Structure formats: C-alpha cells, structure tokens
Amino acid sequence: MNRWEEIYNNHAIHATVVWVKECVTTEFDDLDALEVTEKRRFLKIISKYEDVLSKIDPELI
C-alpha cells in the first residue's frame, strides 16, 4: 500500500460512515411504518456514500 492509500484509508470519514451505519441499524421496538421507511431510505443513502468512497482514487484526493 502506498502512502496515499494509507492516508486515505485512515481518514476519519470511513470510521464516521461505519459509526453512522451502526447507529441507524440499531433495532428499536417502537418504530411506526413511516419511521421504518425513513430508516431504510437513510441506510440506502449511507450505502451510496460507501460506494462512492470505495471508488475514489486515493492518489487523486
């Protein structure tokens, strides 16, 4: 791994995305149908961020 990949992979954005995903996937007993829909939608947004971050070339950032 070159230094740019190492710097990129150790950037705080990756830990932040993982943390947000863990928070959102926490199970709650009292969610109504609308909240479940919004939770699913938010998880899709997080997945899009993960996709974009995985496709970025560390040497160009």
Side-chain angles (χ1 to χ4, degrees):
M1 181 180 318
N2 68 34
R3 80 178 168 121
W4 296 112
E5 289 174 342
E6 186 175 333
I7 290 169
Y8 178 74
N9 290 333
N10 291 327
H11 193 278
I13 189 65
H14 303 291
T16 302
V17 171
V18 169
W19 176 78
V20 168
K21 190 172 187 176
E22 288 173 357
C23 290
V24 173
T25 57
T26 300
E27 294 295 323
F28 296 98
D29 295 332
D30 57 344
L31 294 179
D32 63 24
L34 180 60
E35 291 169 326
V36 170
T37 303
E38 290 301 318
K39 182 177 177 179
R40 190 176 320 115
R41 182 174 174 262
F42 192 49
L43 283 170
K44 285 181 182 181
I45 293 169
I46 294 168
S47 292
K48 292 294 181 186
Y49 274 105
E50 289 175 325
D51 289 343
V52 169
L53 289 171
S54 70
K55 294 175 184 174
I56 291 176
D57 184 349
E59 291 183 355
L60 298 178
I61 297 299

